[in-house]
Amino acid sequence: MESEDTKKIQEMKTDLNLLLECLKYQMDNAFSQKEALVTIHSICQQSSNACIHFREIGGLMFVKNLAKSSEHSMVKEAALYTLGAVAEQNVYCQQTLCTSELFEDLTWFLSNSDSNTNLKRMSVYVILVLVSNNRTGQTLVRETGCISVLSQLFKTILSNYELNLSDNNVFQNYQLWSSVCSTLCVCVNNPQNEENQMLCCSLFPHANDCLINFMKPEIIRPICSFIGLTLANNAYVQKYFMSVGGLDVLSQVLIQLESDSHKTVSSAKLAVVVTKTVDACIADNPTLGVVLSKYHIVSKLLALLLHESLDAGEKFSIILTLGHCTEDCEENQYDLFKNNGLLLMIQALTESQNEELNKAAAFVLHNCKKITEKLSLSLGEYSFDENEEQLKNINMKEKNLEDYWKKAKEILHRIDQLEREEDEEKMQGEKYKDNISSMNINIQNTLKRLHADRSGRGSKAEDKDKSQSRKLQGCKCHEVMSKACTNDDQMKTLLKSANPVNACYREGGQNKTLCKAISNCNQNSREGTTSEKNSVSQSSDHIFKHPTPIAKNTKQQLPVTDPFVLCSDIINKEVISFLATDSCSKMLKYRCSGCIAIGKSLNSRNFSKVLHSCPYQCDRHKVIVEAEDRYKSELRKSLIYNKKILLTPRRRRQLANESSTPGVIKKRRARKNFTEEEVNYLFHGVKRMGNHWNLILWSFPFQQGRKAVDLAHKYHKLTKCPKCAGP
């Protein structure tokens, strides 16, 4: 594969070199130059490496000079088209071409009256490519005056309001105008350039005229994109757009498209485009929503939201626009309330699974909270100039909306409650860890005292005092456990499992099943631990518990009916089962053989074997094992694929013998003497093309089998011989 790729790259470089030579030596043939430029464009479009090589051999600067100096318009167009494609494909070529000299040449092409429409389109295309995602290009397009020429083209190209795209000339002018719109959009945004935004805002009045006179998608879409990007994140430009009547024009266009959306789906899609532009106008200035209230835009947006052809992204744009309309305008809030907007927002919250759409709907409900409270209380404090009777009549007609608002309140309350519960769970988790550690310490100290009391008192006369002291200690243990487990429901089951043991012991301990249970528990606890360790430490050591050694010739021990030993065993089991889910990750972490010392120390020889034998591996060592296995499998495959890599001493000798054994004898080429005609071809070719042997070889009918090296050797021999200095 690598050899094939290398071969393709070498062929691509050879093709570009030959095409560049063809451009240089075909200056009088405009058609050949155009074909060569088109071929260069197709090669550079396929690979970015081709663009880099073309720049390195000087082809980029040659094509740039060719576009400026050529007398043929078709060559200029092809050269500009090639420059734009190369700059679009490779960012280094874009930076190389991004000079004030090239922008001045492009400006001259656009302002020259002799330039045809196609040449202007190619010039606009190169400007668009150089400015896109390039702040340096945005600066140069402003400093060289190119943006002023583009603005003038934006105003003058579509001077006639009758747009007949079936006419070829009109269609070409429209394509040029659309390219100018796209270039202006790139000049002001991505990245955002406030200085260029200030220059382009002077085109807003003309854009408003186009929106009023051209109610066609071919005009509305480019202008909406231009307006939205020019005033995006710029409060000053947004205010200027409102001052020239831009919001009023967009509102009228939106009303017209919404009414047409019931007939055609394309009108609904186009209305969403206008809605996004309206949202960009009021996003940073919520007070501008008052202008929209005059046209009842909220009701139109709600009607548009019910259109079945819209997808989730388009509905999100409409709901977000509703949120910005109702953010600081009570008129729009009331309009939303009156047109069942709350019901639609609640349906969006409950039915949609899109998080962005749900957030936008919650934003709208939050904005309308105050106005709905006013209407529900019927206090007559609403800011409109309506009297109390009209307001009461409205409230009587819209009582069903109160139920929807209650549902909205419940949803908002549920969201806040879920957020609070998440915070409380985090706090309780930290407190619970502290309580568990303190509980373990208290139980450990209590059981140590109990063990000391049992070993210090051996007489039967003191059984009553012993039982009383044990009851007191049991009460203390019960108090410690109850304090530590007040905030957790699962620890209550632990108390329920421990309390019946104490109760049975107080009743007399005569039950036979209890005695059997006590003896079994004590026997298991004696076999599990031989030293005086507490039960809580046993729960932590249970992870790496070694098997109990088999004791030979030992006497059978009598079961000890001690409730505290039984209590400790029960606590031990309950704590282990309770902590099994929460500390699963910790158990897996400490089970990894690579993280702890097991028996002997780890080294480079036994490390891999120990990790592979461990059933539980941490993430770090698991990645190491997988990488090692992957490397070994690839190495094994390569050894199988290339059997000659096995460099054992015997194999080396065999390879040496194989290389020394005579194989297939390569045949030499048959010698062919140069004829007089070939010598003449050679001298004529050197005069016309210089020492470009490949071009000479392809330009003249030499004998079959001739190579460029043969021509070079023959020419050098002829030039050394004084008799053969000429043809």
Side-chain angles (χ1 to χ4, degrees):
M1 290 297 293
E2 293 182 359
S3 61
E4 292 180 1
D5 294 339
T6 306
K7 186 178 179 181
K8 289 181 180 179
I9 292 173
Q10 193 62 35
E11 291 177 354
M12 174 266 295
K13 291 182 178 180
T14 304
D15 293 340
L16 288 176
N17 293 335
L18 293 176
L19 288 169
L20 182 59
E21 293 295 331
C22 181
L23 283 177
K24 292 179 180 178
Y25 290 101
Q26 297 290 336
M27 297 298 292
D28 297 334
N29 192 342
F31 182 78
S32 298
Q33 284 187 328
K34 178 183 177 182
E35 293 296 326
L37 289 169
V38 172
T39 307
I40 292 171
H41 167 268
S42 63
I43 294 174
C44 293
Q45 281 289 94
Q46 296 175 3
S47 172
S48 179
N49 295 326
C51 301
I52 295 174
H53 178 72
F54 192 65
R55 179 175 66 92
E56 290 175 351
I57 63 177
L60 202 62
M61 302 309 296
F62 181 80
V63 174
K64 171 187 170 184
N65 295 329
L66 183 65
K68 180 179 179 180
S69 60
S70 179
E71 297 178 356
H72 304 281
S73 178
M74 59 187 301
V75 176
K76 289 183 178 181
E77 295 169 10
L80 291 175
Y81 183 57
T82 304
L83 289 177
V86 174
E88 186 177 9
Q89 186 70 19
N90 187 269
V91 67
Y92 298 107
C93 297
Q94 182 193 39
Q95 296 298 327
T96 303
L97 293 174
C98 194
T99 60
S100 59
E101 180 183 359
L102 180 58
F103 275 100
E104 290 174 357
D105 294 338
L106 295 173
T107 304
W108 185 81
F109 288 149
L110 292 175
S111 58
N112 188 9
S113 58
D114 296 333
S115 299
N116 57 21
T117 305
N118 205 21
L119 180 59
K120 290 182 179 180
R121 278 190 63 200
M122 294 300 106
S123 302
V124 172
Y125 168 62
V126 175
I127 295 172
L128 184 145
V129 171
L130 296 179
V131 175
S132 179
N133 300 318
N134 188 4
R135 189 170 291 278
T136 304
Q138 291 179 341
T139 304
L140 289 175
V141 79
R142 182 180 66 254
E143 292 178 350
T144 56
C146 187
I147 195 171
S148 301
V149 177
L150 291 173
S151 302
Q152 189 64 27
L153 289 174
F154 180 82
K155 295 178 181 178
T156 57
I157 292 175
L158 296 180
S159 58
N160 188 5
Y161 292 134
E162 294 180 0
L163 189 64
N164 184 14
L165 296 180
S166 60
D167 188 358
N168 189 24
N169 294 328
V170 175
F171 182 70
Q172 288 184 356
N173 288 332
Y174 167 75
Q175 286 183 326
L176 176 60
W177 178 83
S178 179
S179 301
V180 170
C181 281
S182 301
T183 307
L184 289 174
C185 291
V186 174
C187 291
V188 299
N189 200 284
N190 196 18
Q192 182 183 355
N193 193 305
E194 294 184 356
E195 296 179 357
N196 290 350
Q197 283 180 330
M198 298 293 291
L199 289 175
C200 290
C201 69
S202 61
L203 299 175
F204 284 159
H206 181 73
N208 293 337
D209 294 338
C210 291
L211 287 175
I212 294 172
N213 295 286
F214 294 104
M215 284 295 294
K216 294 184 177 182
E218 294 84 0
I219 301 297
I220 293 177
R221 288 182 184 275
I223 288 184
C224 285
S225 299
F226 168 70
I227 293 173
L229 293 175
T230 303
L231 51 76
N233 302 321
N234 195 325
Y236 177 80
V237 178
Q238 291 174 2
K239 291 180 180 179
Y240 175 76
F241 183 70
M242 187 196 69
S243 64
V244 297
L247 272 178
D248 298 285
V249 174
L250 287 177
S251 301
Q252 295 172 8
V253 173
L254 182 59
I255 292 171
Q256 182 64 35
L257 291 173
E258 192 277 327
S259 62
D260 295 340
S261 64
H262 303 288
K263 303 176 183 177
T264 58
V265 177
S266 60
S267 298
K269 301 287 185 181
L270 193 60
V272 175
V273 175
V274 179
T275 301
K276 293 179 182 179
T277 308
V278 172
D279 184 48
C281 297
I282 63 175
D284 298 315
N285 283 319
T287 54
L288 300 181
V290 180
V291 179
L292 303 177
S293 64
K294 298 186 298 182
Y295 300 94
H296 301 287
I297 294 298
V298 172
S299 61
K300 302 298 180 182
L301 292 177
L302 292 174
L304 184 63
L305 187 62
L306 297 174
H307 207 280
E308 297 178 355
S309 64
L310 301 182
D311 55 15
E314 292 168 339
K315 289 183 179 180
F316 165 74
S317 301
I318 296 173
I319 295 176
L320 185 62
T321 306
L322 286 171
H324 289 138
C325 288
T326 57
E327 186 174 2
D328 197 17
C329 180
E330 290 187 350
E331 290 88 344
N332 289 330
Q333 293 174 7
Y334 177 73
D335 202 5
L336 180 78
F337 186 85
K338 186 172 63 175
N339 291 278
N340 295 338
L342 295 180
L343 175 61
L344 294 177
M345 297 302 106
I346 293 170
Q347 287 180 350
L349 275 174
T350 54
E351 297 176 1
S352 176
Q353 297 179 355
N354 191 337
E355 293 183 2
E356 297 294 332
L357 193 145
N358 291 340
K359 290 179 181 179
F363 175 50
V364 176
L365 291 174
H366 180 74
N367 293 338
C368 299
K369 185 176 181 180
K370 293 182 179 179
I371 189 65
T372 49
E373 288 178 352
K374 288 183 180 181
L375 293 175
S376 61
L377 293 175
S378 302
L379 296 177
E381 296 178 358
Y382 194 58
S383 59
F384 298 118
D385 296 332
E386 297 177 354
N387 53 24
E388 295 181 359
E389 293 181 358
Q390 292 177 346
L391 188 59
K392 289 180 180 179
N393 292 332
I394 292 171
N395 289 332
M396 292 296 293
K397 293 179 182 179
E398 299 174 353
K399 281 184 179 180
N400 56 341
L401 293 179
E402 294 180 2
D403 297 334
Y404 299 134
W405 175 240
K406 289 179 181 179
K407 293 181 181 178
K409 280 185 175 181
E410 291 176 359
I411 292 173
L412 292 175
H413 180 68
R414 198 185 313 158
I415 294 172
D416 297 336
Q417 188 176 3
L418 289 174
E419 293 177 354
R420 272 190 253 107
E421 286 179 358
E422 288 180 1
D423 298 335
E424 290 176 359
E425 285 178 359
K426 292 179 181 179
M427 296 295 294
Q428 288 179 1
E430 296 177 357
K431 292 180 180 180
Y432 174 68
K433 290 179 181 179
D434 298 337
N435 292 335
I436 287 295
S437 60
S438 62
M439 182 190 72
N440 292 339
I441 294 171
N442 292 331
I443 293 174
Q444 181 179 358
N445 296 331
T446 303
L447 294 175
K448 281 184 178 180
R449 292 196 210 101
L450 293 173
H451 183 75
D453 291 340
R454 282 201 308 273
S455 62
R457 298 178 184 178
S459 62
K460 296 182 179 179
E462 295 177 353
D463 288 341
K464 294 182 179 180
D465 297 334
K466 188 192 293 184
S467 61
Q468 291 177 359
S469 64
R470 287 176 179 173
K471 289 181 180 179
L472 292 174
Q473 295 291 344
C475 294
K476 291 182 180 179
C477 180
H478 181 273
E479 291 176 1
V480 171
M481 291 169 59
S482 60
K483 289 180 180 178
C485 304
T486 53
N487 294 326
D488 202 314
D489 294 332
Q490 293 183 353
M491 294 304 292
K492 292 179 181 180
T493 61
L494 191 149
L495 291 174
K496 292 179 180 179
S497 64
N499 288 334
V501 177
N502 295 330
C504 293
Y505 182 71
R506 291 192 204 98
E507 290 177 359
Q510 300 296 328
N511 195 350
K512 294 180 181 180
T513 57
L514 177 61
C515 292
K516 291 181 182 179
I518 292 172
S519 63
N520 292 330
C521 292
N522 288 329
Q523 187 175 358
N524 293 331
S525 63
R526 294 295 177 86
E527 291 176 356
T529 57
T530 57
S531 61
E532 295 179 0
K533 293 183 178 180
N534 56 76
S535 62
V536 180
S537 63
Q538 289 178 8
S539 65
S540 61
D541 294 337
H542 183 265
I543 299 170
F544 291 109
K545 184 183 290 184
H546 297 284
T548 57
I550 301 173
K552 297 182 180 180
N553 299 327
T554 56
K555 296 181 180 180
Q556 186 176 2
Q557 295 179 355
L558 294 175
V560 180
T561 58
D562 191 351
F564 295 101
V565 176
L566 180 61
C567 182
S568 65
D569 291 336
I570 295 173
I571 292 172
N572 186 14
K573 293 179 181 178
E574 290 292 336
V575 170
I576 289 173
S577 63
F578 176 69
L579 296 179
T581 56
D582 294 337
S583 61
C584 180
S585 59
K586 295 181 181 179
M587 290 171 67
L588 291 177
K589 178 179 178 182
Y590 290 109
R591 280 179 182 270
C592 182
S593 300
C595 298
I596 62 173
I598 303 176
K600 56 184 180 180
S601 60
L602 298 175
N603 52 39
S604 60
R605 295 185 178 181
N606 62 2
F607 183 71
S608 177
K609 187 180 296 183
V610 170
L611 286 181
H612 280 85
S613 63
C614 179
Y616 303 102
Q617 296 172 353
C618 64
D619 294 337
R620 184 165 62 92
H621 289 104
K622 190 174 182 179
V623 171
I624 293 173
V625 171
E626 290 177 355
E628 183 181 1
D629 294 339
R630 198 182 309 115
Y631 170 72
K632 287 181 179 178
S633 63
E634 291 177 359
L635 184 61
R636 196 177 298 111
K637 289 179 182 178
S638 64
L639 292 176
I640 295 172
Y641 182 72
N642 298 321
K643 294 182 179 180
K644 293 184 180 181
I645 297 177
L646 300 174
L647 297 177
T648 59
R650 178 181 294 179
R651 191 62 180 172
R652 287 179 182 170
R653 295 193 193 97
Q654 291 178 1
L655 293 176
N657 294 332
E658 288 178 3
S659 62
S660 62
T661 54
V664 180
I665 300 174
K666 296 182 179 179
K667 295 182 180 180
R668 298 185 61 181
R669 289 188 300 159
R671 182 181 180 85
K672 295 182 180 180
N673 294 327
F674 276 78
T675 62
E676 293 183 1
E677 293 179 354
E678 287 183 310
V679 173
N680 292 331
Y681 293 154
L682 181 60
F683 279 106
H684 284 300
V686 172
K687 278 185 178 181
R688 289 179 58 187
M689 306 176 188
N691 295 333
H692 298 283
W693 307 113
N694 277 325
L695 290 176
I696 296 172
L697 180 64
W698 295 342
S699 301
F700 296 96
F702 288 95
Q703 294 185 43
Q704 188 176 3
R706 294 286 185 215
K707 294 185 178 180
V709 178
D710 300 337
L711 300 183
H713 289 170
K714 184 64 177 177
Y715 181 76
H716 288 305
K717 288 181 181 179
L718 291 174
T719 53
K720 287 182 181 179
C721 181
K723 295 181 181 181
C724 302

